[in-house]
Amino acid sequence: HFLVLQRDSLPVCVQVRPKVEFGSLLQHAGATKDVFTIKEVMFYLGQYIIQRQLYDQNQQHIVHCAQDALGRVLGVDSFSVKEPRVLFAMITKNLEAVRN
Ligand SMILES: COc1nc(N(C)C)ncc1-n1nc2c(c1C(C)C)[C@H](c1ccc(C#N)cc1)N(c1cc(Cl)c[nH]c1=O)C2=O
């Protein structure tokens, strides 16, 4: 979950709305809504990657997505699941915060 501090410094739990193409990718992974927590976004993306076997058979932490909508959405041909900062940076570009 993203925690952001409002002016009155009460933490609110921010949910996110994926941008259009990202939203339809999550729906292909089984999502049935348009507002998510970050944890839910990661879960659906993970399902998408495993279902489509986008991981490298030999180095299984590498995801190849050049030939897939995931690559267009994240803007890369491949990435490693072991680089959380890189991954979150790519994913948050496709999300807008929604205050609940
Ligand atoms: C290729 O990956 C795997 N391959 C295997 N095989 C046996 C082949 N088993 C597990 C994983 N795996 N490891 C991690 C994740 C997975 C699956 C669920 C993709 C998730 C994850 C990674 C990337 C995105 C995106 N776009 C979304 C979720 N993940 C996470 C990474 C971060 Cl940074 C946050 N939350 C996570 O769940 C990991 O560390």
Side-chain angles (χ1 to χ4, degrees), residues 24-59:
S24 59
L25 190 148
L26 294 175
Q27 281 169 8
H28 282 115
T32 55
K33 52 188 182 174
D34 60 5
V35 174
F36 300 84
T37 63
I38 287 291
K39 199 164 165 239
E40 286 168 330
V41 169
M42 297 310 288
F43 170 76
Y44 285 115
L45 282 178
Q47 294 299 306
Y48 183 89
I49 288 167
I50 294 295
Q51 281 159 10
R52 293 178 174 226
Q53 298 193 347
L54 297 181
Y55 49 86
D56 186 295
Q57 291 303 328
N58 302 317
Q59 293 181 293

Side-chain angles (χ1 to χ4, degrees), residues 42 45-46 49-50 55 60 63 79 81 84 87-88 91:
M42 297 310 288
L45 282 178
I49 288 167
I50 294 295
Y55 49 86
Q60 297 197 331
V63 174
F79 62 89
V81 302
L87 192 48
F88 279 119
I91 288 170

